[in-house]
């Protein structure tokens, strides 16, 4: 059985000095490849260094919506330049909209559009973060698709309801579920996970955040993506081997890995 964790943050200080032991555990769990996300371009070198150490790791470059205060024309150009600089860059992101306690919605929208344009130019998928902003994000994508053409990508760590899930499936996105789907009160997310077609489903940890049951409350790590896969398999009434095969193939198609 092979698994791909499509969203990790291993360059954070909380993992410092532990990559070898983490790697041993994710290999034991069947994780064969990982996609490392990026919250701001100044992370690029630390992520690239990890990717150089780990043949199974690929990565993205982008600007998280909670970090748009760092934006400038120079930053946007830097994202494009960095994306062109390394063949292990397989996506733009994470990017998107986060309206939880947000006071800069318009600025977030502009930066999101700029990164969509980069992804379209480079023919790379996008890794999208969306929190309490599904309607605006959908409208921006619909307008961009109409004017510039579709961009492929994934709604990462998805927390939307089934109606919102259908919106983004109709736009062509993959939907990725994290440990949140295993939480007792995540009823709408569980319903969303049931309706995603088998050829659009991805799994992730978003480590070090959001460890799944039975590790909830602990630091998350790539090995725990197996718990997400096991839970989703039960929820969707398929075998773990089937779900692992489907999600692995989907990740390989989307990210070209």
């Amino acid at each position: 059985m092979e698994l791909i964790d499509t969203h990790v943050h291993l360059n954070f200080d909380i993992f410092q000095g532990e990559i070898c032991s983490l790697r041993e555990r994710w290999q034991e769990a069947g994780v064969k490849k990982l996609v490392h996300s990026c919250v701001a371009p100044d992370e690029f070198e630390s992520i690239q260094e990890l990717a150089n150490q780990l043949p199974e790791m690929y990565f993205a470059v982008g600007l998280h919506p909670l970090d748009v205060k760092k934006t400038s024309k120079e930053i946007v150009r830097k994202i494009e330049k960095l994306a062109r600089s390394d063949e292990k860059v397989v996506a733009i992101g994470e990017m998107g909209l986060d309206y939880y306690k947000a006071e800069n919605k318009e600025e977030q929208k502009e930066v999101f559009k700029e990164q969509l344009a980069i992804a379209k130019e480079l023919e790379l998928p996008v890794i999208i973060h969306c929190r309490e902003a599904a309607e605006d994000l959908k409208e921006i994508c619909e307008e961009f698709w109409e004017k510039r053409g579709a961009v492929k990508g994934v709604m990462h760590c998805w927390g939307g309801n089934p109606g919102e899930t259908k919106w983004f499936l109709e736009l062509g996105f993959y939907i990725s579920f994290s440990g949140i789907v295993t939480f007792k009160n995540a009823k709408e997310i569980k319903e969303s996970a049931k309706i995603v077609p088998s050829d659009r489903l991805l799994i992730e940890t978003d480590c070090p955040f959001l460890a799944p049951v039975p590790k909830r409350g602990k630091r998350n790590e790539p090995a725990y993506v197996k718990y997400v896969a096991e839970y989703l398999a039960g929820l969707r009434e398929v075998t773990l081997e089937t779900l692992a095969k489907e999600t692995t193939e989907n990740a390989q198609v989307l990210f070209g890995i």
Side-chain angles (χ1 to χ4, degrees), residues 161-190:
N161 61 46
E164 293 166 342
T165 302
K166 290 176 182 177
W167 289 350
F168 295 108
L169 288 170
E170 288 170 2
L171 283 164
F173 286 118
Y174 290 72
I175 309 292
S176 180
F177 293 94
S178 68
I180 296 176
V181 75
T182 71
F183 297 174
K184 182 178 179 180
N185 294 328
K187 295 179 181 179
E188 287 192 328
I189 299 173
K190 297 179 198 294

Side-chain angles (χ1 to χ4, degrees), residues 92-206:
I92 303 298
E94 64 187 275
M95 52 182 281
L97 302 177
D98 190 322
Y99 286 178
Y100 182 68
K101 297 183 179 180
E103 297 179 355
N104 62 342
K105 293 181 181 180
E106 293 307 314
E107 186 177 25
Q108 287 191 32
K109 290 177 185 178
E110 289 308 308
V111 175
F112 178 54
K113 293 173 186 177
E114 289 171 336
Q115 292 183 91
L116 280 176
I118 292 171
K120 182 66 176 177
E121 173 68 22
L122 301 184
E123 298 185 344
L124 286 174
V126 290
I127 298 173
I128 294 183
H129 171 107
C130 180
R131 187 177 187 187
E132 299 185 11
E135 188 168 351
D136 277 1
L137 201 145
K138 174 180 76 80
E139 290 178 1
I140 290 170
C141 288
E142 287 175 339
E143 182 179 354
F144 190 96
W145 276 211
E146 184 177 347
K147 292 181 177 179
R148 303 280 300 275
V151 175
K152 59 185 178 179
V154 55
M155 304 301 295
H156 112 86
C157 194
W158 183 237
N161 61 46
E164 293 166 342
T165 302
K166 290 176 182 177
W167 289 350
F168 295 108
L169 288 170
E170 288 170 2
L171 283 164
F173 286 118
Y174 290 72
I175 309 292
S176 180
F177 293 94
S178 68
I180 296 176
V181 75
T182 71
F183 297 174
K184 182 178 179 180
N185 294 328
K187 295 179 181 179
E188 287 192 328
I189 299 173
K190 297 179 198 294
E191 292 305 310
S192 290
K194 293 177 184 178
I195 66 171
V196 175
S198 60
D199 63 350
R200 298 277 202 89
L201 184 69
L202 295 174
I203 54 175
E204 64 174 87
T205 55
D206 198 15

Side-chain angles (χ1 to χ4, degrees), residues 14-58:
I14 196 170
F15 292 123
Q16 190 169 4
E18 296 188 53
I19 294 301
C20 289
S21 58
L22 289 166
R23 190 185 192 199
E24 288 177 3
R25 291 195 291 274
W26 79 55
Q27 289 177 334
E28 289 174 3
V31 178
K32 301 299 183 183
K33 295 177 182 178
L34 310 93
V35 178
H36 198 301
S37 198
C38 174
V39 298
D42 56 14
E43 286 191 309
F44 187 87
E45 288 187 7
S46 65
I47 299 172
Q48 185 180 49
E49 184 177 344
L50 281 172
N52 288 340
Q53 294 174 21
L54 303 167
E56 67 268 41
M57 180 178 287
Y58 299 83

